């Protein structure tokens, strides 16, 4: 096998403000695994929050390349657990492992003539409603975004929160509710609140129609998150407090959900392991993502039938998605029935 990569620039259509940062762009590293005339693709995106700047991604790929290229074929790499075959695997960032794994699955599917979801045991291609994120903006722009998204077909909207003044968050949610009265509303403060503030505020957001909240309190105190979940009138979903399999297992039964992002947990195999571990615990799965192209989002779409909540809109935030194949512009993401991940470069991107 041959492992190569190239870096691309992903620009957002407009800056996304959350409680801890504002993002207007990020790098994508497209990973290619070639074998017997076919190529599988995966994507690793840079993330300051996850401690994954582009130079670190490139260094780790270079470190992993000799071991990957010594493997006889992609099926062996997948069956033998890629992370077990790589030297220093414990130091390999989860996002890099997820990107390598995605490229292998894409290649295995192409070699077998099967889409990834069938390789993973799901016969019918998942077709699910996805949330669409509205950042921390004034009520007027939030209302306009919500109305436009509702007209496009979105039935789930995620509203970012965590403004210094909670009244601003309440006003934003109120404006979104008025503009999209039929939408299912999710709330995401990205850990901006104290435990006391979360317990005080969540009933007010529930009265406005919010149906679930992600990570209302700062990460690092799962016990605090569990206490908020116990008091909350809406389901509480752990995100920043649920990074790895061990985190999710520790929270099982204490929160209503965990947000599984492949770039955070280490890829499809790790996500399936979390899903199996939580089965019957009372804690459900939310499938989330980073801002990424359709290539980066596609592996999670092939798992979307396993989640109670789906937030796979990272490609929809881009000014120009260089890959296509999973839909989403109408509020629904769809795993393709094509071999592998089922995505392809757009003509404009392919010509660059």
């Amino acid at each position: 096998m041959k492992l190569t990569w190239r870096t691309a620039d992903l620009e957002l259509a407009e800056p996304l403000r959350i409680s801890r940062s504002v993002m207007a762009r990020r790098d994508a590293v497209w990973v290619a695994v070639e074998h017997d005339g076919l190529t599988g693709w995966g994507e690793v995106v840079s993330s300051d929050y996850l401690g994954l700047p582009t130079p670190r991604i490139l260094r780790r790929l270079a470190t992993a390349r000799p071991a990957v290229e010594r493997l006889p074929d992609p099926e062996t790499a997948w069956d033998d657990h890629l992370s077990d075959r790589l030297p220093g695997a414990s130091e390999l960032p989860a996002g890099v492992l997820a990107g390598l794994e995605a490229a292998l699955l894409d290649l295995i599917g192409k070699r077998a003539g099967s889409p990834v979801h069938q390789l993973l045991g799901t016969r019918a291609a998942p077709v699910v409603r996805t949330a669409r994120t509205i950042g921390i903006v004034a009520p007027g722009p939030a209302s306009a975004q919500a109305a436009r998204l509702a007209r496009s077909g979105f039935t789930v909207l995620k509203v970012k929160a965590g403004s210094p003044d909670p009244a601003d968050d309440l006003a934003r949610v109120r404006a979104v509710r008025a503009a999209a009265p039929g939408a299912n509303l999710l709330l995401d403060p990205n850990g901006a609140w104290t435990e006391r503030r979360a317990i005080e505020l969540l009933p007010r957001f529930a009265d406005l129609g919010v149906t679930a909240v992600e990570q209302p309190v700062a990460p690092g105190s799962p016990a605090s998150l569990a206490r908020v979940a116990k008091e909350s009138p809406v389901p509480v979903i752990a995100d920043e407090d649920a990074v790895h399999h061990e985190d999710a297992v520790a929270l099982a039964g204490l929160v209503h959900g965990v947000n599984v992002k492949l770039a955070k947990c280490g890829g499809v195999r790790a996500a399936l392991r979390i899903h199996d571990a939580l089965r019957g615990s009372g804690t459900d799965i939310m499938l989330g993502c980073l801002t990424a192209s359709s290539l980066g989002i596609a592996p999670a779409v092939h798992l979307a039938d396993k989640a109670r909540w789906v937030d796979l809109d990272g490609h929809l935030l881009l000014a120009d998605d260089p890959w296509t194949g999973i839909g989403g512009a109408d509020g629904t993401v769809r795993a393709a029935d094509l071999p592998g991940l089922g995505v392809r470069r757009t003509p404009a991107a392919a010509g660059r």
Side-chain angles (χ1 to χ4, degrees):
M1 294 196 297
K2 181 181 179 182
L3 173 63
T4 59
W5 54 85
R6 58 162 295 190
T7 303
D9 184 47
L10 300 179
E11 297 281 348
L12 274 68
E14 57 185 61
L16 177 65
R17 180 181 294 275
I18 66 174
S19 61
R20 62 172 180 257
S21 63
V22 180
M23 182 178 61
R25 62 164 304 281
R26 72 182 348 146
D27 288 335
V29 179
W30 295 337
V31 178
V33 178
E34 301 173 57
H35 187 68
D36 285 348
L38 293 174
T39 302
W41 292 92
E43 181 175 85
V44 188
V45 292
S46 61
S47 170
D48 291 339
Y49 184 76
L50 293 178
L52 200 56
T54 304
R56 186 178 181 217
I57 296 172
L58 301 179
R59 287 196 303 270
R60 292 304 181 185
L61 286 171
T63 299
R65 177 157 53 188
V68 171
E69 293 188 340
R70 280 195 297 269
L71 294 170
D73 51 59
E75 292 81 7
T76 299
W78 173 257
D79 292 341
D80 289 357
H81 295 211
L82 178 64
S83 60
D84 293 342
R85 301 294 295 266
L86 299 178
S90 62
E91 299 177 4
L92 191 69
V96 175
L97 179 58
L100 285 168
E101 185 187 82
L104 289 170
L105 282 172
D106 188 36
L107 182 53
I108 292 168
K110 289 173 178 174
R111 282 162 59 85
S114 301
V116 163
H117 59 269
Q118 290 185 4
L119 297 177
L120 301 175
T122 299
R123 183 174 182 82
V127 178
V128 295
R129 295 285 187 177
T130 181
R132 177 65 159 79
T133 299
I134 296 175
I136 295 179
V137 295
S143 174
Q145 287 184 51
R148 174 176 55 80
L149 292 168
R151 288 194 300 270
S152 297
F154 285 87
T155 59
V156 186
L157 299 177
K158 182 165 85 169
V159 185
K160 291 291 187 177
S163 301
D165 184 351
D168 293 338
D169 294 332
L170 289 162
R172 184 180 315 107
V173 171
R174 192 176 296 113
V176 169
R177 167 53 70 217
N184 179 7
L185 299 186
L186 309 178
L187 188 72
D188 187 7
N190 287 107
W193 296 338
T194 64
E195 179 180 333
R196 179 177 178 181
R197 175 167 281 188
I199 291 172
E200 290 174 348
L201 287 176
L202 285 175
R204 300 178 67 182
F205 283 104
D207 289 344
L208 293 175
V210 167
T211 61
V213 60
E214 286 183 65
Q215 196 69 42
V217 297
S221 179
S224 177
L225 187 65
R227 288 192 293 269
V228 172
K230 187 175 181 179
E231 298 291 332
S232 175
V234 299
V236 171
I237 304 165
D239 184 0
E240 287 88 345
D241 265 325
V243 178
H244 305 295
H245 173 268
E246 293 77 11
D247 301 327
V249 170
L251 288 167
L254 300 178
V255 295
H256 305 92
V258 295
N259 188 334
V260 175
K261 298 175 182 174
L262 303 191
K264 189 174 65 169
C265 72
V268 167
R269 192 186 295 279
L272 290 172
R273 188 172 172 228
I274 292 171
H275 173 266
D276 291 344
L278 295 182
R279 195 192 309 270
S281 70
T283 298
D284 294 314
I285 293 292
M286 178 181 200
L287 268 177
C289 63
L290 303 182
T291 302
S293 76
S294 288
L295 172 61
I297 306 297
V301 177
H302 285 272
L303 299 176
D305 61 305
K306 304 183 184 304
R308 175 179 173 184
W309 301 276
V310 174
D311 180 23
L312 298 177
D313 68 339
H315 61 305
L316 303 175
L317 304 180
L318 300 179
D320 179 21
D321 186 354
W323 294 78
T324 186
I326 58 173
D330 61 351
T332 299
V333 289
R334 303 166 177 84
D337 267 324
L338 300 172
L341 293 174
V343 296
R344 61 190 182 279
R345 295 276 294 279
T346 63
R352 292 173 191 161

